[in-house]
Amino acid sequence: MTVIRTKVDRAAADFQRKRTGMMELLDQLDALLEQSRAGGGESKVARHRKRGKLLPRERIEQLLDRDSAFLELSPFAAYGTDYELGASVVTGIGVVEGVECVIIATDPTIRGGTINPFTGKRSTRALEVAETNRMPLVWMVESGGADLPKQAEIFIPGGDTFRRLTSLSRQGIPTVSIVFGNSTAGGAYIPGMCDWNVFIQERSKVFLGGPPLVKMATGEESDDESLGGADMHARTSGLADYLAADEPDALRLGRQVVRRLNWRKAGPGPSRLPVREPLAPIDDLAGIASIDLKEPFDMREVIARILDGSDYDEFKPLYGTSLTTGWGAIHGFPVGIIANTQGILFSEEAQKGTQFIQLTNRMDVPLLFIHNVTGFMVGKEYEQKGIIKHGAQMINAVTNSTVPHLALIAGGSYGAGNYGMSGRAYNPRFVFAWPNAKLAVMGPQQLAGVLSIVARAAAEAKGKPYDEDFDAAMRKAVEEQIERESLALANSGLLYDDGIIDPRDTRTALGLALSAVHSGTVEGADGYGVFRM
């Protein structure tokens, strides 16, 4: 039998302690999400509503099929920066008329929907998701263009946004814009570059330069309506393809456009039906992993709660036991699993992972990497056994694998171990993190210790006494800095993942992601680079 039998004792003090710690982290995240959803604040939201307008998440809700899921991406973008949490835009994946689409919605209650550097990063990531997974894009536009005081940080990256938007069209991936209000300068280029445009009568105002700029540049007197009104664009310029009476009508027309796309997924649908729920309770995932990453946890207990029927066909279970590899399915979609069980990757684990990646590519099956890794093993014995070349083999296999990769950071993800486990730099289709996740070159104590050893050796080489008080202060400062920078929220703020998720939502998030990647073809690699043997 390949079913994983759980050994979790929910009544154990250890389980309850871990669960309490995880729930406290989730409460912190919920408070931050409420802050993000508050937009520009009560007064600006009230003014927006007084104009008869919907908020961005309300627009998304009305666009989506009734009772369908919305997988928000990058909700903690800009955390820890001077910009608004969430980056003044909402992005995610939802179902419109039965079609899975990437959705971008600017938030006009925050500085008029203007684009700051993190707005651009979050929008660009959504465009990347649409392109790599071959998913239609719906962009809900109400934007004053670039936040001009930040133009130096926006101008060049902003060009990449438009490049990606037009590239989608070239690849036959439909792009649809729905314009809800003023869309100026960079905001105007979004409908200008989309395949389909829906404007709203007496609401949509689209122009490269508004009346004040036109006056300054040319001396011409003009008004909003004649310069860029919805009626003008529908009757004269031709920029508007559909003219809506109001916001609900615009959303209806947007759904109509998607319905008429005749869109088909290129990848296969679920191959294992009916879908069986895991035998182990999903709620247990809140109490399995500790917020103290020095405490190990059984990764197979995680796998048992995300795979259909808890059915896991483990590959090479007796070899390279710090890494578990095997096959299963999530919501009917076959998937290969690579997960860390004890943190360290030795030569055996690297070779096992390399072989498994090759096999899974031959099978045209997506890969799920579950991280809790401290890195590849160091030391004279392991260097002599070839840890560098074996680690390089695994990284080579990850790099050249062409089946979709998903990554879940369920604990630590340090050093080259992050690379071997298909971290963000290796272009997995989606990366999700648990609230306890940490990413860094190495742990805070190890990094501070290395700096201390180097500084001590430098002092000895110069024949100078080493200042122990300085050393203690330096180590403390470095440890605090690395700890702060390695936290899940800090990395999510930089868009190094696609969202921090409640562990109990892991199976749902992965199922939605797997469905998304099957919008495109799922094909394994024909060849790899040179494996150093």
Side-chain angles (χ1 to χ4, degrees):
M1 295 293 292
T2 57
V3 171
I4 300 175
R5 302 296 177 183
T6 182
K7 299 176 183 177
V8 168
D9 180 1
R10 297 172 199 87
D14 183 62
F15 178 89
Q16 293 299 324
R17 175 179 55 80
K18 291 179 178 178
R19 190 178 191 281
T20 298
M22 186 66 75
M23 296 306 293
E24 289 175 353
L25 288 179
L26 288 170
D27 287 342
Q28 295 174 21
L29 294 178
D30 285 343
L32 288 171
L33 287 174
E34 285 301 313
Q35 176 186 330
S36 174
R37 290 165 182 157
E42 290 184 11
S43 62
K44 292 180 181 177
V45 167
R47 185 172 62 186
H48 186 75
R49 289 195 184 282
K50 190 175 180 181
R51 294 169 177 164
K53 293 188 172 188
L54 299 169
L55 295 174
R57 285 182 173 80
E58 294 170 340
R59 291 168 177 170
I60 291 172
E61 184 177 2
Q62 289 199 20
L63 178 75
L64 299 181
D65 292 354
R66 186 182 298 275
D67 297 328
S68 64
F70 179 64
L71 179 62
E72 186 168 350
L73 302 175
S74 316
F76 299 103
Y79 173 83
T81 72
D82 294 333
Y83 301 104
E84 288 79 3
L85 182 65
S88 312
V89 66
V90 182
T91 62
I93 295 172
V95 180
V96 181
E97 292 289 340
V99 178
E100 287 165 301
C101 299
V102 171
I103 297 165
I104 304 175
T106 53
D107 189 342
T109 70
I110 302 175
R111 296 180 65 83
T114 52
I115 301 164
N116 66 51
F118 278 88
T119 315
K121 287 182 180 181
R122 187 173 182 184
S123 301
T124 298
R125 173 57 188 153
L127 290 167
E128 182 180 43
V129 169
E131 181 175 12
T132 56
N133 297 291
R134 189 180 164 273
M135 302 178 73
L137 173 78
V138 179
W139 200 322
M140 300 184 180
V141 190
E142 188 169 1
S143 170
D147 190 350
L148 293 178
K150 303 295 181 182
Q151 67 85 27
E153 301 174 64
I154 301 168
F155 178 48
I156 300 303
D160 184 50
T161 302
F162 301 137
R163 181 188 66 82
R164 288 179 179 275
L165 187 56
T166 52
S167 178
L168 289 174
S169 182
R170 178 186 61 80
Q171 296 174 61
I173 301 172
T175 56
V176 182
S177 85
I178 307 175
V179 183
F180 288 90
N182 286 350
S183 294
T184 311
Y189 277 116
I190 295 169
M193 293 179 178
C194 280
D195 298 342
W196 307 78
N197 290 326
V198 178
F199 284 27
I200 303 173
Q201 185 79 44
E202 298 180 355
R203 289 288 180 88
S204 305
K205 303 288 191 301
V206 180
F207 28 61
L208 295 183
L213 179 58
V214 171
K215 174 70 173 176
M216 287 293 296
T218 69
E220 179 184 27
E221 296 283 353
S222 56
D223 60 78
D224 283 359
E225 191 60 39
S226 63
L227 193 63
D231 195 71
M232 184 280 289
H233 281 304
R235 299 176 185 276
T236 307
S237 79
L239 182 61
D241 302 313
Y242 297 91
L243 187 61
D246 52 25
E247 290 201 11
D249 191 38
L251 292 163
R252 178 189 66 80
L253 288 168
R255 288 178 54 83
Q256 177 179 303
V257 169
V258 175
R259 182 171 67 249
R260 298 297 186 193
L261 291 176
N262 193 30
W263 188 252
R264 303 180 186 89
K265 288 191 172 191
S271 62
R272 302 187 183 184
L273 296 173
V275 172
R276 296 174 296 156
E277 289 297 311
L279 299 183
I282 293 174
D283 187 67
D284 290 351
L285 288 176
I288 287 176
S290 173
I291 61 174
D292 180 359
L293 297 188
K294 294 178 182 177
E295 290 188 63
F297 62 93
D298 187 349
M299 194 63 80
R300 290 178 183 82
E301 294 287 0
V302 175
I303 295 170
R305 286 159 177 80
I306 60 176
L307 290 184
D308 295 355
S310 303
D311 189 354
Y312 182 53
D313 183 7
E314 190 162 2
F315 174 73
K316 266 184 162 53
L318 304 179
Y319 183 81
T321 55
S322 289
L323 190 75
T324 180
T325 55
W327 290 280
I330 298 177
H331 286 281
F333 291 101
V335 66
I337 303 280
I338 299 180
N340 308 114
T341 61
Q342 297 175 28
I344 300 173
L345 292 170
F346 297 88
S347 287
E348 293 81 0
E349 281 74 13
Q351 292 172 309
K352 172 179 171 179
T354 300
Q355 183 185 2
F356 184 77
I357 291 168
Q358 290 178 304
L359 290 172
T360 306
N361 271 262
R362 289 296 183 199
M363 299 159 63
D364 298 333
V365 169
L367 280 162
L368 169 62
F369 295 80
I370 310 180
H371 296 223
N372 188 23
V373 59
T374 56
F376 290 96
M377 189 61 186
V378 298
K380 182 171 67 175
E381 175 188 350
Y382 304 102
E383 297 287 4
Q384 291 178 355
K385 287 178 64 177
I387 188 64
I388 292 175
K389 66 181 183 181
H390 295 141
Q393 288 172 2
M394 186 172 180
I395 293 172
N396 184 330
V398 166
T399 302
N400 292 293
S401 166
T402 57
V403 294
H405 292 186
L406 308 180
L408 171 66
I409 305 173
S413 188
Y414 294 104
N418 175 270
Y419 304 160
M421 293 294 291
S422 195
R424 173 60 93 200
Y426 288 78
N427 295 324
R429 300 293 183 88
F430 294 94
V431 181
F432 300 109
W434 282 0
N436 60 318
K438 292 181 180 178
L439 282 79
V441 172
M442 60 183 73
Q445 292 79 21
Q446 290 83 357
L447 195 149
V450 168
L451 292 178
S452 175
I453 291 170
V454 171
R456 191 180 298 274
E460 290 177 359
K462 295 176 182 178
K464 295 181 178 180
Y466 190 60
D467 187 335
E468 297 295 344
D469 290 338
F470 164 80
D471 183 78
M474 181 272 292
R475 291 178 69 133
K476 182 175 184 295
V478 169
E479 287 180 17
E480 290 175 351
Q481 175 192 341
I482 301 306
E483 177 66 19
R484 185 171 59 252
E485 293 174 349
S486 67
L487 294 175
L489 268 170
N491 284 280
S492 198
L494 295 171
L495 280 82
Y496 290 161
D497 62 44
D498 293 306
I500 304 172
I501 60 174
D502 185 327
R504 297 166 296 180
D505 292 334
T506 301
R507 175 172 159 84
T508 298
L510 293 175
L512 291 169
L514 281 168
S515 184
V517 303
H518 284 81
S519 292
T521 57
V522 178
E523 295 178 346
D526 291 329
Y528 293 86
V530 174
F531 287 103
R532 183 174 292 278
M533 306 306 288

